[in-house]
Coordinates of all heavy atoms in Angstrom, one line a residue:
M1 N -106.5 46.8 68.4 CA -106.9 46.7 69.8 C -107.3 45.3 70.2 O -107.7 44.5 69.3 CB -108.1 47.6 70.0 CG -107.8 49.1 69.8 SD -106.7 49.8 71.2 CE -107.9 49.9 72.5
K2 N -107.2 45.0 71.5 CA -107.6 43.7 71.9 C -108.7 43.9 73.0 O -108.7 44.9 73.7 CB -106.4 42.9 72.5 CG -105.4 42.6 71.4 CD -104.3 41.8 72.0 CE -103.3 41.4 70.9 NZ -103.8 40.6 69.8
V3 N -109.5 42.9 73.2 CA -110.6 43.0 74.2 C -110.6 41.7 75.0 O -110.3 40.6 74.5 CB -112.0 43.3 73.6 CG1 -112.4 42.1 72.7 CG2 -113.0 43.6 74.7
F4 N -110.9 41.9 76.3 CA -111.1 40.7 77.2 C -112.4 40.9 77.9 O -112.6 42.0 78.5 CB -109.9 40.5 78.2 CG -110.2 39.5 79.3 CD1 -110.2 38.2 79.0 CD2 -110.5 40.0 80.5 CE1 -110.5 37.3 80.0 CE2 -110.8 39.1 81.6 CZ -110.8 37.7 81.3
R5 N -113.3 39.9 77.9 CA -114.5 40.0 78.7 C -114.4 39.1 79.9 O -114.2 37.9 79.9 CB -115.7 39.4 77.8 CG -115.9 40.2 76.6 CD -117.1 39.7 75.8 NE -117.2 40.4 74.6 CZ -117.6 41.7 74.4 NH1 -118.0 42.4 75.4 NH2 -117.7 42.2 73.2
C6 N -114.4 39.8 81.1 CA -114.2 39.1 82.3 C -115.2 38.0 82.5 O -114.9 36.9 83.0 CB -114.3 40.1 83.5 SG -113.7 39.4 85.0
G7 N -116.4 38.2 81.9 CA -117.5 37.1 82.0 C -117.1 35.8 81.4 O -117.7 34.8 81.7
D8 N -116.1 35.8 80.5 CA -115.7 34.6 79.9 C -114.9 33.7 80.9 O -114.8 32.5 80.7 CB -114.7 34.8 78.7 CG -115.4 35.4 77.5 OD1 -116.7 35.3 77.5 OD2 -114.8 35.9 76.6
V9 N -114.4 34.3 82.0 CA -113.7 33.6 83.0 C -114.5 33.6 84.3 O -114.5 32.5 85.0 CB -112.3 34.2 83.3 CG1 -111.6 33.6 84.5 CG2 -111.4 34.1 82.0
V10 N -115.1 34.7 84.7 CA -115.9 34.8 85.9 C -117.4 35.0 85.5 O -117.8 36.1 85.1 CB -115.4 35.9 86.7 CG1 -116.3 36.0 88.0 CG2 -113.9 35.9 87.0
P11 N -118.2 33.9 85.4 CA -119.6 34.0 85.0 C -120.3 35.1 85.8 O -120.2 35.1 87.0 CB -120.1 32.6 85.3 CG -118.9 31.7 85.2 CD -117.8 32.5 85.8
G12 N -121.0 36.0 85.1 CA -121.8 37.0 85.8 C -121.1 38.3 85.8 O -121.8 39.4 86.0
C13 N -119.8 38.4 85.6 CA -119.1 39.7 85.6 C -119.3 40.3 84.2 O -119.2 39.7 83.2 CB -117.7 39.5 85.9 SG -116.8 41.1 86.0
E14 N -119.7 41.6 84.2 CA -120.0 42.3 83.0 C -118.9 43.2 82.5 O -119.1 43.9 81.5 CB -121.2 43.2 83.2 CG -122.4 42.4 83.9 CD -123.5 42.2 82.9 OE1 -124.0 43.1 82.2 OE2 -124.0 41.0 82.8
R15 N -117.8 43.2 83.1 CA -116.7 44.1 82.8 C -116.0 43.6 81.5 O -115.7 42.5 81.3 CB -115.7 44.2 83.9 CG -116.1 45.1 85.0 CD -116.2 46.6 84.7 NE -114.9 47.1 84.3 CZ -114.0 47.5 85.2 NH1 -114.2 47.5 86.5 NH2 -112.8 48.0 84.8
D16 N -115.8 44.6 80.6 CA -114.9 44.4 79.4 C -113.6 45.3 79.5 O -113.7 46.4 80.1 CB -115.7 44.9 78.2 CG -116.9 44.0 77.8 OD1 -117.0 42.9 78.4 OD2 -117.7 44.4 77.0
F17 N -112.6 44.8 79.0 CA -111.3 45.5 79.0 C -110.8 45.6 77.6 O -110.6 44.7 76.9 CB -110.3 44.8 79.9 CG -110.8 44.7 81.4 CD1 -111.4 43.6 81.8 CD2 -110.5 45.7 82.3 CE1 -111.9 43.5 83.0 CE2 -111.0 45.6 83.6 CZ -111.7 44.5 84.0
L18 N -110.5 46.9 77.3 CA -109.9 47.2 75.9 C -108.5 47.6 76.2 O -108.2 48.3 77.1 CB -110.6 48.3 75.3 CG -111.8 48.0 74.3 CD1 -112.4 49.3 73.9 CD2 -111.3 47.2 73.1
G19 N -107.6 47.1 75.3 CA -106.2 47.4 75.5 C -105.4 47.4 74.2 O -105.9 46.7 73.2
A20 N -104.3 48.0 74.2 CA -103.5 48.0 73.0 C -102.8 46.7 72.7 O -102.6 46.3 71.6 CB -102.4 49.1 73.1
D21 N -102.5 46.0 73.8 CA -101.8 44.7 73.7 C -102.1 43.8 74.9 O -102.8 44.3 75.9 CB -100.3 44.8 73.5 CG -99.7 45.7 74.6 OD1 -100.2 45.7 75.7 OD2 -98.6 46.3 74.3
R22 N -101.5 42.6 74.9 CA -101.7 41.7 76.0 C -101.3 42.3 77.4 O -102.1 42.1 78.4 CB -100.9 40.5 75.7 CG -100.7 39.5 76.8 CD -99.6 38.5 76.4 NE -99.2 37.7 77.5 CZ -98.3 38.1 78.5 NH1 -97.8 39.3 78.4 NH2 -98.0 37.3 79.5
D23 N -100.2 43.0 77.5 CA -99.7 43.5 78.7 C -100.7 44.6 79.3 O -100.9 44.6 80.5 CB -98.3 44.1 78.6 CG -97.3 43.0 78.5 OD1 -97.6 41.8 78.7 OD2 -96.1 43.3 78.1
D24 N -101.2 45.4 78.4 CA -102.2 46.4 78.7 C -103.4 45.8 79.3 O -103.9 46.2 80.4 CB -102.5 47.2 77.5 CG -103.3 48.5 77.8 OD1 -103.3 48.9 79.0 OD2 -103.8 49.2 76.9
I25 N -103.9 44.7 78.7 CA -105.1 44.0 79.2 C -104.8 43.4 80.6 O -105.6 43.5 81.5 CB -105.5 42.9 78.2 CG1 -105.9 43.5 76.9 CG2 -106.7 42.1 78.8 CD1 -107.3 43.8 76.6
L26 N -103.7 42.7 80.7 CA -103.4 42.0 81.9 C -103.2 43.0 83.1 O -103.7 42.7 84.2 CB -102.1 41.2 81.7 CG -102.2 39.9 81.0 CD1 -100.9 39.3 80.8 CD2 -103.1 38.9 81.8
R27 N -102.7 44.2 82.8 CA -102.6 45.2 83.9 C -103.9 45.6 84.4 O -104.2 45.7 85.6 CB -101.9 46.5 83.3 CG -100.5 46.6 83.9 CD -99.9 48.0 83.6 NE -100.1 48.5 82.2 CZ -99.3 48.2 81.2 NH1 -98.2 47.4 81.5 NH2 -99.5 48.6 80.0
Q28 N -104.9 45.8 83.5 CA -106.2 46.2 83.9 C -106.9 45.1 84.6 O -107.6 45.4 85.6 CB -107.0 46.6 82.6 CG -106.4 47.8 81.9 CD -107.2 48.1 80.6 OE1 -108.4 48.4 80.7 NE2 -106.6 48.1 79.5
V29 N -106.8 43.9 84.1 CA -107.5 42.8 84.7 C -107.0 42.5 86.1 O -107.7 42.1 87.0 CB -107.4 41.5 83.7 CG1 -108.1 40.3 84.5 CG2 -108.2 41.8 82.4
A30 N -105.7 42.6 86.2 CA -105.0 42.3 87.5 C -105.6 43.2 88.6 O -106.0 42.8 89.7 CB -103.5 42.5 87.5
A31 N -105.8 44.5 88.3 CA -106.4 45.5 89.2 C -107.8 45.2 89.5 O -108.3 45.2 90.6 CB -106.2 46.9 88.7
H32 N -108.5 44.8 88.4 CA -110.0 44.4 88.6 C -110.1 43.2 89.5 O -111.0 43.1 90.3 CB -110.6 44.3 87.2 CG -111.9 43.6 87.2 ND1 -113.0 44.3 87.7 CD2 -112.3 42.4 86.7 CE1 -114.1 43.5 87.5 NE2 -113.7 42.4 86.9
A33 N -109.3 42.2 89.2 CA -109.4 40.9 90.0 C -109.2 41.1 91.4 O -109.9 40.5 92.3 CB -108.4 39.9 89.4
V34 N -108.2 42.0 91.8 CA -107.9 42.2 93.2 C -109.0 43.1 93.8 O -109.5 42.8 94.9 CB -106.5 42.9 93.4 CG1 -106.3 43.3 94.8 CG2 -105.5 41.9 92.9
L35 N -109.3 44.2 93.2 CA -110.3 45.2 93.7 C -111.7 44.7 93.7 O -112.5 44.9 94.7 CB -110.2 46.5 93.0 CG -108.9 47.3 93.2 CD1 -108.9 48.5 92.2 CD2 -108.8 47.8 94.6
D36 N -112.2 44.1 92.6 CA -113.6 43.8 92.4 C -113.9 42.3 92.7 O -115.1 42.0 93.1 CB -114.0 44.2 91.0 CG -113.9 45.7 90.7 OD1 -114.1 46.4 91.7 OD2 -113.6 46.0 89.6
H37 N -112.9 41.5 92.6 CA -113.2 40.0 92.8 C -112.6 39.6 94.1 O -112.7 38.4 94.5 CB -112.8 39.2 91.6 CG -113.6 39.4 90.4 ND1 -115.0 39.1 90.4 CD2 -113.4 39.8 89.2 CE1 -115.5 39.4 89.2 NE2 -114.5 39.8 88.4
G38 N -111.8 40.4 94.8 CA -111.2 40.1 96.1 C -110.2 39.0 96.0 O -109.9 38.4 97.1
L39 N -109.5 38.9 94.9 CA -108.4 37.9 94.8 C -107.2 38.5 95.6 O -106.9 39.7 95.5 CB -108.0 37.6 93.4 CG -109.1 36.9 92.5 CD1 -108.5 36.6 91.2 CD2 -109.7 35.7 93.2
P40 N -106.5 37.6 96.3 CA -105.4 38.1 97.0 C -104.2 38.5 96.1 O -103.4 39.5 96.4 CB -104.9 37.0 97.9 CG -105.5 35.8 97.2 CD -106.8 36.2 96.5
T41 N -104.1 37.8 95.0 CA -103.0 38.1 94.0 C -103.4 37.5 92.7 O -104.4 36.9 92.6 CB -101.7 37.5 94.5 OG1 -100.7 37.9 93.6 CG2 -101.8 36.0 94.5
V42 N -102.7 37.8 91.6 CA -102.9 37.3 90.3 C -102.0 36.2 90.1 O -100.8 36.4 90.0 CB -102.7 38.4 89.2 CG1 -103.0 37.8 87.9 CG2 -103.7 39.6 89.5
D43 N -102.5 34.9 90.1 CA -101.6 33.8 89.9 C -101.5 33.4 88.4 O -102.3 33.8 87.6 CB -102.1 32.6 90.8 CG -103.5 32.2 90.4 OD1 -103.9 32.2 89.3 OD2 -104.2 31.7 91.3
P44 N -100.5 32.5 88.1 CA -100.3 32.1 86.7 C -101.5 31.5 86.1 O -101.7 31.7 84.8 CB -99.1 31.2 86.8 CG -98.4 31.5 88.1 CD -99.5 32.0 89.0
D45 N -102.3 30.8 86.8 CA -103.5 30.2 86.3 C -104.5 31.2 85.7 O -105.1 31.1 84.7 CB -104.2 29.3 87.3 CG -105.3 28.4 86.7 OD1 -105.0 27.8 85.7 OD2 -106.4 28.5 87.2
L46 N -104.6 32.3 86.5 CA -105.5 33.4 86.1 C -105.0 34.1 84.8 O -105.7 34.3 83.9 CB -105.7 34.4 87.2 CG -106.6 35.6 86.8 CD1 -108.0 35.2 86.5 CD2 -106.6 36.7 87.9
V47 N -103.7 34.3 84.8 CA -103.1 34.9 83.7 C -103.3 34.1 82.4 O -103.6 34.6 81.3 CB -101.5 35.1 83.9 CG1 -100.8 35.6 82.6 CG2 -101.3 36.2 85.0
R48 N -103.1 32.8 82.6 CA -103.4 31.9 81.4 C -104.8 31.9 81.0 O -105.1 32.0 79.7 CB -103.1 30.4 81.9 CG -103.2 29.4 80.7 CD -102.8 28.0 81.2 NE -103.7 27.6 82.4 CZ -105.0 27.3 82.3 NH1 -105.6 27.3 81.1 NH2 -105.7 27.0 83.3
Q49 N -105.8 32.0 81.9 CA -107.2 32.0 81.5 C -107.5 33.4 80.8 O -108.2 33.3 79.8 CB -108.1 31.9 82.7 CG -108.1 30.5 83.3 CD -109.1 30.4 84.5 OE1 -109.3 31.4 85.2 NE2 -109.7 29.3 84.6
V50 N -106.9 34.4 81.2 CA -107.1 35.7 80.6 C -106.5 35.7 79.2 O -107.2 36.0 78.2 CB -106.5 36.8 81.4 CG1 -106.5 38.2 80.6 CG2 -107.2 37.0 82.7
E51 N -105.3 35.2 79.1 CA -104.6 35.1 77.7 C -105.4 34.3 76.7 O -105.5 34.6 75.6 CB -103.2 34.6 77.9 CG -102.3 35.5 78.5 CD -100.9 34.9 78.8 OE1 -100.8 33.7 79.0 OE2 -99.9 35.7 78.7
E52 N -106.0 33.2 77.2 CA -106.8 32.4 76.3 C -108.0 33.0 75.8 O -108.6 32.6 74.8 CB -107.1 31.1 77.0 CG -106.0 30.1 77.2 CD -106.3 28.8 78.0 OE1 -107.4 28.8 78.5 OE2 -105.4 28.0 78.0
N53 N -108.5 34.1 76.5 CA -109.8 34.7 76.1 C -109.6 36.1 75.6 O -110.6 36.7 75.3 CB -110.7 34.7 77.4 CG -111.2 33.3 77.7 OD1 -112.2 32.8 77.0 ND2 -110.7 32.6 78.6
I54 N -108.4 36.5 75.4 CA -108.2 37.8 74.7 C -108.5 37.7 73.2 O -108.0 36.8 72.6 CB -106.8 38.3 75.0 CG1 -106.5 38.7 76.4 CG2 -106.5 39.6 74.1 CD1 -105.1 39.1 76.7
R55 N -109.3 38.6 72.7 CA -109.7 38.6 71.3 C -109.2 39.9 70.6 O -109.1 40.9 71.3 CB -111.2 38.5 71.1 CG -111.8 37.2 71.7 CD -113.3 37.3 71.7 NE -113.8 36.6 72.9 CZ -114.0 35.3 73.0 NH1 -113.7 34.6 72.0 NH2 -114.5 34.7 74.1
D56 N -109.0 39.8 69.4 CA -108.7 41.0 68.6 C -110.0 41.7 68.2 O -111.0 41.1 67.9 CB -107.9 40.6 67.3 CG -106.5 40.1 67.6 OD1 -105.9 40.7 68.4 OD2 -106.2 39.0 67.0
V57 N -110.0 43.0 68.2 CA -111.1 43.8 67.8 C -110.6 44.9 66.8 O -109.4 45.2 66.8 CB -111.8 44.5 68.9 CG1 -112.6 43.4 69.7 CG2 -110.9 45.2 69.9
Ligands
ZN101 ZN1 -114.7 40.7 86.6

Protein backbone atom coordinates (compact mmCIF):
# COMPACT_ATOMS: atom_id res chain seq x y z
CA MET A 1 0.00 0.00 0.00
CA LYS A 2 0.97 3.60 -0.46
CA VAL A 3 0.09 6.67 1.58
CA PHE A 4 0.00 10.38 0.86
CA ARG A 5 -0.39 13.00 3.57
CA CYS A 6 -2.01 16.12 2.17
CA GLY A 7 -0.32 18.15 4.91
CA ASP A 8 3.03 17.52 3.24
CA VAL A 9 1.85 19.73 0.37
CA VAL A 10 -0.88 21.84 1.98
CA PRO A 11 0.22 22.85 5.50
CA GLY A 12 -2.57 22.39 8.01
CA CYS A 13 -4.52 19.77 6.06
CA GLU A 14 -4.94 16.59 8.11
CA ARG A 15 -6.19 14.26 5.41
CA ASP A 16 -4.32 11.06 4.64
CA PHE A 17 -4.91 8.94 1.56
CA LEU A 18 -4.23 5.22 1.37
CA GLY A 19 -4.13 3.53 -1.99
CA ALA A 20 -3.01 0.44 -3.81
CA ASP A 21 -0.84 2.39 -6.19
CA ARG A 22 0.03 5.84 -7.48
CA ASP A 23 -3.05 6.12 -9.70
CA ASP A 24 -5.34 5.18 -6.83
CA ILE A 25 -3.82 7.90 -4.64
CA LEU A 26 -3.94 10.51 -7.39
CA ARG A 27 -7.62 9.82 -8.04
CA GLN A 28 -8.48 10.37 -4.39
CA VAL A 29 -6.29 13.46 -4.04
CA ALA A 30 -7.71 15.00 -7.21
CA ALA A 31 -11.25 14.79 -5.80
CA HIS A 32 -10.07 16.14 -2.42
CA ALA A 33 -8.17 19.04 -4.00
CA VAL A 34 -11.20 20.18 -5.97
CA LEU A 35 -13.87 19.59 -3.31
CA ASP A 36 -12.00 20.53 -0.13
CA HIS A 37 -9.30 22.92 -1.31
CA GLY A 38 -11.36 24.63 -4.01
CA LEU A 39 -8.86 24.10 -6.81
CA PRO A 40 -10.42 24.56 -10.24
CA THR A 41 -8.49 21.60 -11.62
CA VAL A 42 -5.53 19.35 -10.94
CA ASP A 43 -2.52 20.71 -12.78
CA PRO A 44 0.76 18.92 -13.53
CA ASP A 45 2.55 20.78 -10.77
CA LEU A 46 0.15 19.42 -8.16
CA VAL A 47 0.50 15.91 -9.56
CA ARG A 48 4.29 16.23 -9.29
CA GLN A 49 4.08 17.40 -5.69
CA VAL A 50 1.80 14.52 -4.77
CA GLU A 51 4.03 11.97 -6.50
CA GLU A 52 7.09 13.27 -4.65
CA ASN A 53 5.36 12.76 -1.31
CA ILE A 54 3.80 9.33 -1.80
CA ARG A 55 5.35 6.83 0.63
CA ASP A 56 5.22 3.07 0.89
CA VAL A 57 3.48 1.62 3.93
ZN1 LIG B 1 -5.93 18.47 1.81
